[in-house]
Amino acid sequence: MKKNLFYYLFAVICTIGLFTSCSDDDEKVLCPIGETTFTDSKGLQLTYSGEMMLGKSVIFTPNSSDATKATLTLTGNRELAMIDTRETHVPPISGVIPGQSTTTLNIENMVIDGNKVIFEGVEESNGCIIKYKGDAISGEMNLALEVTMPSNPLANTSWNMAPTGSMWEGDPMAPIHVKWDADEFPFGNGTWDINSAITMIFSMAQIEGKHIPELLSGVLNKVTFLPDGNIQAEYKDALTDTEWKTSGLNIAMYTVKDGQVFLFLNFAQILATVNERANDSMNDIVASLLPQLLQMVNRGIPLSYIVGEDGKMTVYLGTEVLLPILKTVAPLFENEEFVARLLDILKEQAGGMAVLIESFLKPILVAMPQIVSTTLIPQLFQ
């Protein structure tokens, strides 16, 4: 009898243990959120260096076997990418981190709190250190990013705009000048070269009583390359303003690669800041350039730069960037109606200098296809 009691108790203990094991499986913690894409219109609140960042997409993917793990895939969002005023084109948008079309963050030790997930961590990606912290429920996500780029040679550097001066090449006081090598074009009873023509027009034309170089120096004071990939500018809205303003974050960003600065523009952020529509002539130019602009926006606008022994920086658009754009735009200037509309727009802006638009600028616009076809090295320096 005692022996039978022993076996009976042993069987009961094993049975209890079996049921306990099954109970643990039934109570396994599950992630309350399935794979979800969050965007501005779908519950995403994304900050980058403490300021809101628009136009991006974050895909949350839970780990199927471990509820404490998940991945975040950061990309650009095409929903808010309407830069063509007729809203017929949606450009590809650069990712959240400048220079990265896609960034993956691997979440470890995610906390499940009812229907909410809470996470934070640090990830290294392509030379960037990314600190992230956030939470999400079904349909809503908050994500804060702090990014540094330790190997970035321009990080924490600031460059002041050169003081006013002429645009003639070699003038040390010039904030901007043009170098454009092409065959001479018909002008009046003779010929003229495009480099001298643009330089003279920019130096003579006035806006609010200031020449173009003076105007540029008057409204742009300094450009700063931040360690998180942001570019900030000190600027004025008008020449009469007494104090400089600082531009917001996440509008213009950059990376440095192979001796070039790649500029990334966040059009969703720009449109949220300035919601204006261009005129029809400008629309024609934008539409013609759109395919190339979209590619450039996606991979970054390449700007070459030189830092001289005197510590001054020169930034310019090189031949490989400008020439394809010029070749795309050139056929527009064969249309007389387009040229006439463009001249009218320029006259409205020129004020008392409008007479020069007709006599000086019209021959240049008409000759633009010929000028572009013989262009060797167009560069815009700043």
Side-chain angles (χ1 to χ4, degrees), residues 16-295:
I16 293 174
L18 179 61
F19 278 109
T20 302
S21 177
C22 290
S23 177
D24 286 343
D25 288 340
D26 291 341
E27 295 178 0
K28 180 179 178 180
V29 177
L30 299 176
C31 181
I33 304 175
E35 182 171 311
T36 307
T37 298
F38 297 92
T39 64
D40 296 338
S41 62
K42 297 179 180 178
L44 179 62
Q45 295 291 315
L46 174 65
T47 62
Y48 189 105
S49 295
E51 291 196 18
M52 187 65 67
M53 174 179 274
L54 302 175
K56 307 303 177 183
S57 171
V58 177
I59 303 173
F60 175 87
T61 306
N63 188 293
S64 59
S65 59
D66 188 341
T68 66
K69 296 182 179 181
T71 60
L72 299 178
T73 305
L74 283 54
T75 66
N77 174 26
R78 294 172 62 86
E79 289 182 3
L80 299 178
M82 299 293 189
I83 64 168
D84 179 58
T85 57
R86 285 157 295 189
E87 300 184 355
T88 57
H89 299 275
V90 182
I93 295 299
S94 59
V96 175
I97 311 299
Q100 300 183 23
S101 58
T102 301
T103 302
T104 301
L105 304 179
N106 298 294
I107 300 175
E108 304 284 345
N109 303 316
M110 184 168 61
V111 175
I112 308 296
D113 183 9
N115 64 347
K116 177 187 289 188
V117 296
I118 304 170
F119 49 85
E120 64 179 303
V122 179
E123 190 93 21
E124 291 192 26
S125 176
N126 296 323
C128 299
I129 299 176
I130 307 168
K131 294 182 180 180
Y132 62 91
K133 183 176 182 180
D135 58 72
I137 59 175
S138 180
E140 295 182 12
M141 173 180 283
N142 299 298
L143 179 60
L145 301 176
E146 298 288 340
V147 180
T148 55
M149 302 176 180
S151 60
N152 187 340
L154 293 181
N156 287 319
T157 63
S158 295
W159 307 87
N160 290 85
M161 178 61 66
T164 185
S166 72
M167 286 181 56
W168 296 106
E169 184 177 359
D171 184 351
M173 302 293 284
I176 184 173
H177 68 266
V178 175
K179 181 179 180 182
W180 190 339
D181 292 336
D183 289 352
E184 293 189 353
F185 61 92
F187 188 88
N189 296 324
T191 60
W192 205 6
D193 70 275
I194 184 64
N195 198 75
S196 298
I198 291 180
T199 299
M200 179 172 290
I201 290 172
F202 273 39
S203 298
M204 291 175 58
Q206 294 187 6
I207 300 176
E208 297 184 12
K210 299 287 184 180
H211 299 133
I212 299 300
E214 294 177 312
L215 184 65
L216 184 59
S217 297
V219 298
L220 180 60
N221 182 47
K222 183 171 66 175
V223 174
T224 300
F225 295 89
L226 300 179
D228 66 351
N230 264 291
I231 299 176
Q232 274 194 316
E234 282 190 5
Y235 70 99
K236 292 180 180 179
D237 290 322
L239 290 170
T240 55
D241 292 349
T242 57
E243 296 183 358
W244 296 102
K245 296 181 178 180
T246 301
S247 62
L249 298 181
N250 309 326
I251 295 175
M253 307 184 82
Y254 76 102
T255 58
V256 180
K257 182 179 179 181
D258 300 329
Q260 287 186 307
V261 178
F262 288 83
L263 174 65
F264 298 88
L265 300 177
N266 187 338
F267 285 101
Q269 203 92 5
I270 293 171
L271 289 175
T273 304
V274 181
N275 187 18
E276 296 180 354
R277 294 202 179 260
N279 53 69
D280 290 338
S281 294
M282 292 302 103
N283 285 346
D284 290 340
I285 295 177
V286 171
S288 66
L289 290 175
L290 203 55
Q292 291 181 356
L293 290 177
L294 301 191
Q295 295 179 18

Side-chain angles (χ1 to χ4, degrees), residues 169 178-183 193-196 198-199 322-323 326 364 368 371-372 374-381:
E169 184 177 359
V178 175
K179 181 179 180 182
W180 190 339
D181 292 336
D183 289 352
D193 70 275
I194 184 64
N195 198 75
S196 298
I198 291 180
T199 299
L322 278 177
L323 191 53
L326 291 172
I364 298 175
M368 190 57 64
I371 295 169
V372 172
T374 61
T375 291
L376 299 176
I377 308 175
Q379 291 180 332
L380 178 63
F381 287 85

